[in-house]
Amino acid sequence: KVGQSINKARAEYMIARVYSALRWVEPAIYHAEQCLKITEDIGIGDFDLAFAYEILARAYSVAGKKLACKKYIDLSQKAINAVKGEEDRKICQSELNKVKCS
């Protein structure tokens, strides 16, 4: 095996991002959930946690699941507010702002 858990969490994020862009609901949600699981299991915080919530919001938005989308937008916003670096906070916020729960 190559890479550490943080690399795996970030890879799951990117995979979920691609599936969300393709509007492939089931794999988008699956990989977004894997991203959050790994992130929580190893206790990654800061922008990684914000992005884990953001990708779940994005996946649930694609699925048309408004309540779940809103839940993860709120969790992501809370995590973004706690991100230490100002530039990292801006990047996270910019991505979250693109997610619409419609």
Side-chain angles (χ1 to χ4, degrees):
K1 292 186 174 184
V2 177
Q4 299 176 1
S5 295
I6 192 167
N7 304 112
K8 293 174 187 169
R10 290 175 180 171
E12 291 291 346
Y13 173 89
M14 295 305 297
I15 294 166
R17 183 79 186 242
V18 169
Y19 280 127
S20 293
L22 293 171
R23 305 193 63 78
W24 292 6
V25 172
E26 291 83 9
I29 291 171
Y30 173 81
H31 289 284
E33 288 173 345
Q34 291 303 303
C35 175
L36 180 60
K37 181 183 183 317
I38 295 166
T39 301
E40 290 178 335
D41 285 353
I42 62 174
I44 305 170
D46 207 56
F47 66 85
D48 284 290
L49 182 60
F51 276 127
Y53 289 138
E54 175 265 325
I55 196 59
L56 270 163
R58 189 180 298 269
Y60 282 119
S61 172
V62 169
K65 297 187 177 204
K66 293 179 186 180
L67 291 177
C69 177
K70 178 69 174 134
K71 171 187 172 181
Y72 287 107
I73 281 180
D74 292 345
L75 288 168
S76 183
Q77 187 63 64
K78 184 176 177 181
I80 289 169
N81 293 342
V83 170
K84 294 176 182 128
E86 182 179 344
E87 189 62 28
D88 290 338
R89 240 186 345 269
K90 286 180 183 177
I91 292 167
C92 291
Q93 190 66 60
S94 173
E95 290 304 314
L96 183 61
N97 290 345
K98 295 174 186 174
V99 179
K100 306 297 179 215
C101 298
S102 49

